[in-house]
Amino acid sequence: MKYKQEYKIGSFNLDAQGKMKISHLVDYMVDTSIGHTKTIEKEKNTVIDLYWVILQWDIEFYGEIKYEDVLKVLTFTTGRYKYYAYRQWEISNGHGTVAVAKSQWLGLSKKELKPVRLSKELDSLYESETGYDPIERKFPRPKKEFSNKMAISPRKMDIDGYQHVNNARYFDWLSEIIKGDVRRIRIYYKNQILYGEEIDLQWEEESGKTYFQFLGRENEVKTYGIIYY
């Protein structure tokens, strides 16, 4: 079952160059996934009693998103594996496809807040699509030496209902180190960032790519990934 929502791009969605902020695109993708679930619960008279925590994004960009564009954000699930669920998006405006994205999510029980082995029933409820390659299950941390560093202090406005930094806010922080037009971003969330933590964003530029990682106390790896230009 595929699900679609539309969004008209306003000035608040744009960066200094008049292009849509990546973080806002991520917000809209997550919003459609929530809408998808709520629609299924309503139409099938059921309750999906899980919290969903994002583990990975793999986003590819094919065109610019500008002021007053009407985005059509299409989403669908592509299956599950043990505790993990897989979801994709196809995003278009009036001129064609502007982005596609793949993701990996961890299902948690609402009662115990622990990972839950996902059942075949979920595939039936969501009517998961076949014929699509899901995001890779594992995204190893690139072994790099990082020569650039910037300190980050999460703000209260960065925190979501799970009481940690919202996944889209990492893209706002990454905007400080992006050097050109982004072709693709891969990001893996290893450990959550909480309000009050002092974080180092480290990065290294190499052959059309920027490798990055977010480190916490005692060099605990929080998040890492690659930006492709």
Side-chain angles (χ1 to χ4, degrees):
M1 173 185 175
K2 294 185 176 182
Y3 175 81
K4 180 173 67 176
Q5 291 185 190
E6 294 187 1
Y7 304 88
K8 186 173 182 178
I9 304 306
S11 58
F12 65 93
N13 295 123
L14 307 179
D15 62 17
Q17 287 72 47
K19 299 176 183 179
M20 187 177 187
K21 297 174 183 176
I22 297 174
S23 61
H24 286 207
L25 181 62
V26 170
D27 283 333
Y28 286 159
M29 288 194 288
V30 172
D31 190 52
T32 56
S33 71
I34 294 170
H36 189 194
T37 295
K38 289 186 177 298
T39 297
I40 288 170
E41 289 180 325
K42 183 178 180 180
E43 291 182 353
K44 301 191 177 184
N45 192 28
T46 188
V47 175
I48 299 172
D49 198 28
L50 294 170
Y51 288 129
W52 295 107
V53 178
I54 185 74
L55 294 180
Q56 287 195 66
W57 283 109
D58 186 348
I59 309 172
E60 296 184 66
F61 302 91
Y62 299 107
E64 293 184 1
I65 304 169
K66 297 183 177 181
Y67 180 61
E68 293 191 334
D69 277 357
V70 176
L71 284 191
K72 296 179 180 180
V73 183
L74 179 74
T75 189
F76 49 93
T77 60
T78 56
R80 62 184 165 78
Y81 176 75
K82 294 184 177 179
Y83 307 97
Y84 309 108
Y86 298 88
R87 178 179 286 276
Q88 298 188 21
W89 288 260
E90 297 172 356
I91 301 158
S92 62
N93 58 11
H95 308 290
T97 300
V98 290
V100 297
K102 300 179 180 180
S103 63
Q104 179 188 48
W105 301 73
L106 177 67
L108 301 178
S109 72
K110 288 186 176 180
K111 184 177 181 180
E112 299 177 343
L113 295 180
K114 293 182 179 180
V116 174
R117 184 177 288 271
L118 304 178
S119 68
K120 291 182 179 179
E121 182 185 5
L122 277 177
D123 286 336
S124 298
L125 285 173
Y126 282 96
E127 299 177 34
S128 292
E129 300 290 329
T130 59
Y132 292 86
D133 292 328
I135 195 171
E136 296 175 19
R137 291 175 185 165
K138 295 183 179 180
F139 177 26
R141 178 186 171 203
K143 295 181 179 179
K144 293 288 178 182
E145 295 294 329
F146 296 91
S147 58
N148 304 287
K149 183 171 71 172
M150 179 175 67
I152 293 173
S153 296
R155 304 164 297 174
K156 288 183 178 179
M157 66 185 298
D158 298 324
I159 307 302
D160 64 18
Y162 293 149
Q163 305 305 309
H164 60 201
V165 172
N166 181 269
N167 75 95
R169 305 289 70 79
Y170 292 77
F171 294 93
D172 288 329
W173 295 338
L174 289 172
S175 69
E176 298 291 333
I177 66 171
I178 289 174
K179 299 299 184 182
D181 292 331
V182 176
R183 180 171 56 86
R184 180 186 181 193
I185 292 184
R186 292 198 65 187
I187 186 168
Y188 182 84
Y189 302 94
K190 183 175 175 64
N191 292 294
Q192 64 183 347
I193 296 177
L194 304 175
Y195 178 68
E197 288 192 88
E198 295 300 321
I199 302 297
D200 280 337
L201 168 56
Q202 299 181 350
W203 72 96
E204 187 67 29
E205 298 171 13
E206 180 183 299
S207 302
K209 301 176 185 177
T210 299
Y211 295 87
F212 64 86
Q213 61 181 9
F214 293 88
L215 299 183
R217 296 185 183 93
E218 299 180 357
N219 290 326
E220 179 189 30
V221 177
K222 299 289 190 176
T223 301
Y224 57 83
I226 308 172
I227 303 168
Y228 303 79
Y229 302 103

